Amino acid sequence: MTGADVVIYTSRTCGYCHAAKRLLERKGVAFREVATEGRADLRRWLVEASGQTTVPQVFINGASIGGYSELADMDDEGQLEDRLSTGPAVDTPSLPT
């Protein structure tokens, strides 16, 4: 369904992380999951990149779209398919894994 590069930063015990992954899976979206447990460096980067201290944090084509609430809102408003239909730009940054 998607040509987009989707990365989701999660923690194992986060209910919203599981909900975000289920939403993406239900829509047939391939994504990379990056666990944040024990990764203070990664959590600091997430705050810088997204302005948020919580997980999940979802990135589409290198751009932060927010967490589960923002992902679900985009889906409800019909905007998610548009974001997912485009592949990554040539200059899309590599995200930490």
Side-chain angles (χ1 to χ4, degrees):
M1 171 201 176
T2 176
D5 180 36
V6 180
V7 180
I8 181 170
Y9 294 87
T10 65
S11 70
R12 186 178 39 241
T13 60
C14 168
Y16 287 108
C17 296
H18 293 288
K21 292 187 298 184
R22 279 192 306 269
L23 188 154
L24 292 170
E25 288 167 351
R26 187 173 61 248
K27 298 195 80 56
V29 176
F31 60 90
R32 280 184 295 135
E33 179 179 5
V34 180
T36 61
E37 287 97 344
R39 298 279 313 271
D41 61 324
L42 186 54
R43 295 299 289 244
R44 280 191 299 275
W45 177 85
L46 278 171
V47 171
E48 292 173 17
S50 70
Q52 302 296 315
T53 59
T54 59
V55 290
Q57 286 303 313
V58 181
F59 288 74
I60 299 176
N61 294 329
S64 172
I65 64 143
Y68 171 72
S69 297
E70 292 81 8
L71 181 67
D73 287 347
M74 286 180 76
D75 186 39
D76 290 344
E77 295 167 5
Q79 299 171 352
L80 185 57
E81 285 82 7
D82 290 341
R83 286 295 284 274
L84 294 170
S85 67
T86 60
V90 172
D91 59 350
T92 298
S94 291
L95 301 177
T97 57

